[in-house]
Amino acid sequence: MATYFVNSHKAKECLHELNKIKDNNLFKSLERLLEEPTFTNGQTIKAELLEMVGDKNPNYDFMHELFSKCSSNIFSSEHVQCILDYCYGDEDRLKYSSEKLLVIQVFS
């Protein structure tokens, strides 16, 4: 798994450190993230995980990257709809979907 990171040596060390953690809540949340099909809920779970780790943790950046890689979707359905509207040249739908996406991002 460490090979999927830019610095695979550092990732290997961090994964060993993660393995030493005995916090079941952290691993249950990570499992929820892996199983979560929606972008918005995945982002919420990711934020909870990062809060559990804490930004003072020396491996915080690695954890952030790991949790991002574990998140199944990088685009929400709203993102995809906006892209499709753009590709099809549907200016009215594009304006509507862009505004909807902006509202979702602001309130998420």
Side-chain angles (χ1 to χ4, degrees):
M1 183 169 178
T3 58
Y4 290 105
F5 293 85
V6 175
N7 185 342
S8 60
H9 178 71
K10 173 73 173 163
K12 191 172 183 178
E13 291 175 9
C14 292
L15 287 167
H16 282 294
E17 290 296 317
L18 180 61
N19 191 39
K20 293 178 186 176
I21 296 174
K22 301 297 181 199
D23 184 355
N24 285 336
N25 290 330
L26 179 74
F27 290 109
K28 285 180 183 177
S29 293
L30 185 54
E31 184 178 355
R32 281 183 29 233
L33 178 63
L34 289 167
E35 294 173 351
E36 180 54 52
T38 64
F39 176 79
T40 306
N41 291 344
Q43 292 298 100
T44 302
I45 296 167
K46 183 178 150 187
E48 291 170 4
L49 280 162
L50 289 171
E51 189 174 315
M52 284 180 189
V53 170
D55 60 355
K56 302 292 187 215
N57 186 312
N59 297 322
Y60 181 85
D61 290 336
F62 168 77
M63 296 292 191
H64 187 275
E65 187 177 355
L66 174 66
F67 301 153
S68 293
K69 288 179 183 293
C70 290
S71 189
S72 62
N73 297 311
I74 58 171
F75 297 111
S76 67
S77 60
E78 290 84 8
H79 285 108
V80 173
Q81 184 62 52
C82 189
I83 292 167
L84 289 173
D85 290 342
Y86 177 79
C87 290
Y88 288 121
D90 189 342
E91 295 297 323
D92 292 331
R93 282 196 48 104
L94 176 61
K95 184 174 189 282
Y96 171 76
S97 61
S98 297
E99 289 171 353
K100 182 179 174 188
L101 181 59
L102 182 61
V103 168
I104 290 168
Q105 289 174 337
V106 167
F107 291 106
S108 295

